[in-house]
Amino acid sequence: MNSRMAATATAMAAAVIGLVVATLTVTGASAATPVQVFVAGDSTASTYTSPQAPRAGWGQALPVFLTPNAVVVNEALSGASSKSFVDLGRLDHILARIKRNDHLLISFGHNDEKKEDPARYTEPSTTYKSYLSQFIDRSRAKGAKPVLVTSVERRRFSSAGTITPTHGAYPAAMRELAAAKRVPLIDLTASSTALFNRVGVEGTKKYFMHLKAGQYPNYPDGVEDNTHFQAAGAIEVARLVATALRNQGVLPGGSFRRLNAQIPDSATVWPSQ
């Protein structure tokens, strides 16, 4: 081989090596890109700020159970129903940011029940399903993956000491829609009912906003709220959601951590504003 041929061969080899390195670099960068998990829901899932601590939503606590491979984008809005969330442009806001293979957790029902408020009320078998379908169809059109999440149950015990259902026909309507549209379903109504029954009447007070006067500076007069969570409850409900995501294979492998660990309340992050 003469010197010109040798130089040409060397240049070609270098070009091939450069192409392989570049390809591996791009592939590695792509593999390292985390999936986003958007949460569309109501006050039970919302993120609360430090002046509202220890109140917290399960969407706020969900990052505790996910690795950096999955990033939570909590867009849950206090007071929202499936209807008002859409009408306020909050779904449009999510769709402007969601990407192919991201996930959208959809959890409404608490405020859809409010017949006295036409801006929020939906009827379970008709308008409720219609609005939920917008979340499903429009996120799928963006290449994202919707997941329906039935409403977390309230802390309402019967005289026998068991949880009394408070969501009427809404959980069943969501289950029917999930089956019809072949959407993964997290039955949080069922799993939270089982959790609250297991923990009991007194034990569940540490999950909900049952605070004594003077216990927390943000609530000097105390509060008794059987719908919204303090940190311990938000963490345990988020654990139910994360466990279901893992068990159903919704998120990629390597997305979960500490599903069976004791989690302190301090793991919850309250933004300053």
Side-chain angles (χ1 to χ4, degrees), residues 80-143:
S81 70
S82 61
K83 179 182 188 299
S84 68
F85 197 93
V86 171
D87 292 347
L88 290 169
R90 301 291 293 188
L91 176 57
D92 291 333
H93 177 69
I94 290 173
L95 294 174
R97 301 167 63 196
I98 204 166
K99 303 190 304 294
R100 179 171 295 278
N101 293 324
D102 285 343
H103 293 77
L104 175 58
L105 308 187
I106 307 156
S107 186
F108 295 97
H110 278 84
N111 299 303
D112 288 75
E113 305 169 10
K114 297 185 175 179
K115 289 185 178 181
E116 71 281 3
D117 186 354
R120 293 188 286 181
Y121 176 67
T122 61
E123 196 279 328
S125 64
T126 57
T127 47
Y128 181 57
K129 288 184 177 180
S130 176
Y131 276 101
L132 291 178
S133 293
Q134 288 196 47
F135 289 84
I136 295 166
D137 297 341
R138 295 177 67 189
S139 62
R140 278 177 165 170
K142 296 280 292 190

Side-chain angles (χ1 to χ4, degrees), residues 14 34 152 181 201 212 223 230:
V152 63
K181 286 188 168 289
V201 174
K212 296 177 181 178
V223 64
Q230 53 180 304

